[in-house]
Amino acid sequence: MRAMVQHSYGPPEVITLQETAKPSPGSKELLIRIQAATVGPSDCAFRQGNPFMIKLLYGLSRPKFAVGGTELAGVVEAVGEEVKHFKPGDRVLGMSVKSFGAFAEYKCLSEESPLAVIPDNITFEEAVGVCDGGATALTFLRDKAQLRKGQKVLINGASGAVGIYAVQLAKFFGAEVTAVCSGANESLVRAAGADFVIDYTREDFTKTHKAFDVIFDAVGKRFFPECKRVLTANGMYLTTEPRMSTLMQMMWTSLFKGKRAIVATAGLMQNKANLTYLMELTSSGTLKAVIDRRYPLEQLPDAHKYVETERKKGNVIIQF
Ligand SMILES: NC(=O)c1ccc[n+]([C@@H]2O[C@H](COP(=O)([O-])OP(=O)(O)OC[C@H]3O[C@@H](n4cnc5c(N)ncnc54)[C@H](OP(=O)(O)O)[C@@H]3O)[C@@H](O)[C@H]2O)c1
C-alpha cells in the first residue's frame, strides 16, 4: 500500500511516499481503506518531535510510529472474527490516537477505538473534518466548561479547526458567542454563528469592558493571568496549549472558588459516543464542516507547510 513515512524527526521533507505492507486485521480489529484524513498543528508537532515530551513518549531518536495522522474516514474492508459491531462495507470515522497511521491507504483499528458509522448524507471529508477540531471543542466546552444556555463565551482563534467547531457547538448549547479572529475571517466566524466578533489585529479582547463566563483559547495564544480581568467571578479560562504555567494555575485555582484555569489533552479523551454525537450533529445540519484546502496523499509535506503558516481556516484534508 502507499504510505507517507518518516523515519526521523524534522522538516516536512522527512515525510516521503513509500510502498509498505498492507496490514491485516487481528481478531478484534477492523481493516479500513482510508478515503480522507486531516492535517493539523499536532501532526506537525509529532513530525518535528517538538515539544520534547513527544520524543519522550514516541521515541527519543526517531518516531516509534513511522506513519503519522490520527483522524481518518474510510470504508471497512475486512473485520476480525471477534468484531461485533462493524462489517465490511461500513463507512466509518475513526481516531488512531495510540498508533497514528492515518497517512496510509489502510489502517487496522481495534473495535474499541473511537469509531463511528458515517451517516449516508455526510461525505468522508466532512466526517473527518468535523472530527478534527469538533472532538476537541466538544470535550472543552461540554465536558470541561459545562457550557450552559445564556452563558457568555469568548473563543480565541475562532477561525481554526478547533475554534470554528467551538463557535458552532457553543451556539448549539445556547451560549452568547464572541469570536476572536483576524478581520479577514470575520464573515467565516459569523456564518458559523458568532454573535460578536473581535478582530485581534485591531483590538485586544483582554482589555474589553465585557466579562465572560468562559474564555476558550482554541489556539493557545493567550495566558490565564491576562484573561482573568475579563472573566466573571466564577469564570473559566480553557486552553488547548498544555504549558507548565497553566498546569500549575489549574492545580492552584482548583483549590478555591473563583476564576479557574483548565487545560486538557482532548485527543486522548475521545470515544465512540463523542464521534457518534458529532456525526449526528453533522447529519442534522447543526455542525457544518469547514474545509480550507485539500491535498492528495503524496503532497502531505505541502499540507504540513501550509498548516505551519498558522493561517488555515477550519480543516486541511488529505485525499486518497
Ligand atoms: N489540547 C488538545 O487536546 C488539543 C487537541 C487538538 C488541537 N490542539 C491544539 O490546538 C491548537 C489549535 O488547533 P487548530 O487545528 O484549531 O489550529 P489551526 O486551525 O492551525 O489554527 C489556525 C487559525 O488560528 C488563527 N490564529 C493564528 N494566530 C492567532 C492569534 N494570535 N489569535 C487568534 N487567532 C489566531 C488563524 O487565524 P488568522 O489567520 O485570522 O490569524 C487561523 O485561522 C493547536 O495548537 C493544536 O496543537 C490541542
Side-chain angles (χ1 to χ4, degrees), residues 22-44:
K22 181 178 166 182
S24 37
S27 61
K28 293 180 179 172
E29 286 184 333
L30 291 62
L31 172 67
I32 301 166
R33 182 159 52 83
I34 300 177
Q35 301 289 317
T38 59
V39 185
S42 320
D43 298 299
C44 298

Side-chain angles (χ1 to χ4, degrees), residues 104-320:
E105 286 179 311
Y106 292 91
K107 174 71 188 167
C108 287
L109 283 181
S110 153
E111 189 179 25
E112 302 306 316
S113 310
L115 279 163
V117 169
I118 303 173
D120 288 342
N121 64 342
I122 303 175
T123 66
F124 293 112
E125 293 187 1
E126 288 169 332
V128 80
V130 166
C131 180
D132 168 28
T136 300
L138 185 67
T139 299
F140 275 91
L141 294 182
R142 184 196 61 186
D143 305 341
K144 296 292 170 189
Q146 299 185 346
L147 194 64
R148 295 186 306 277
K149 193 168 185 242
Q151 285 193 311
K152 291 184 173 56
V153 58
L154 178 142
I155 293 157
N156 187 39
S159 50
V162 178
I164 203 71
Y165 298 112
V167 171
Q168 297 182 56
L169 286 168
K171 280 309 289 178
F172 174 65
F173 296 143
E176 179 194 286
V177 179
T178 299
V180 180
C181 62
S182 66
N185 289 323
E186 175 168 353
S187 55
L188 177 77
V189 301
R190 282 210 189 271
D195 300 293
F196 305 99
V197 178
I198 296 175
D199 175 353
Y200 74 86
T201 65
R202 292 168 176 267
E203 189 184 347
D204 181 349
F205 75 80
T206 68
K207 307 241 168 6
T208 60
H209 297 294
K210 216 165 159 180
F212 300 94
D213 301 295
V214 174
I215 292 177
F216 178 33
D217 187 0
V219 283
K221 297 284 185 194
R222 306 302 297 258
F223 294 84
F224 176 57
E226 56 183 351
C227 293
K228 250 172 119 172
R229 204 187 67 78
V230 285
L231 279 175
T232 55
N234 291 311
M236 223 183 262
Y237 157 90
L238 304 106
T239 178
T240 54
E241 185 68 36
R243 294 184 195 99
M244 187 50 77
S245 59
T246 315
L247 288 167
M248 301 298 285
Q249 286 149 2
M250 181 163 98
M251 284 193 282
W252 179 248
T253 58
S254 70
L255 301 174
F256 310 99
K257 278 192 165 173
K259 304 180 185 190
R260 291 179 58 192
I262 307 267
V263 61
T265 46
L268 299 173
M269 299 160 84
Q270 298 312 319
N271 52 41
K272 285 192 175 61
N274 280 6
L275 267 53
T276 303
Y277 185 53
L278 289 173
M279 289 299 91
E280 284 166 7
L281 293 179
T282 311
S283 182
S284 65
T286 302
L287 277 185
K288 290 194 174 54
V290 176
I291 296 172
D292 181 353
R293 290 191 184 185
R294 296 168 171 85
Y295 293 83
L297 178 66
E298 60 276 16
Q299 286 177 19
L300 182 62
D302 292 333
H304 273 244
K305 283 179 198 163
Y306 179 56
V307 171
E308 282 180 339
T309 64
E310 297 193 355
R311 297 280 81 80
K312 92 171 155 69
K313 301 174 246 303
N315 312 114
V316 165
I317 301 284
I318 298 301
Q319 296 177 315
F320 289 73

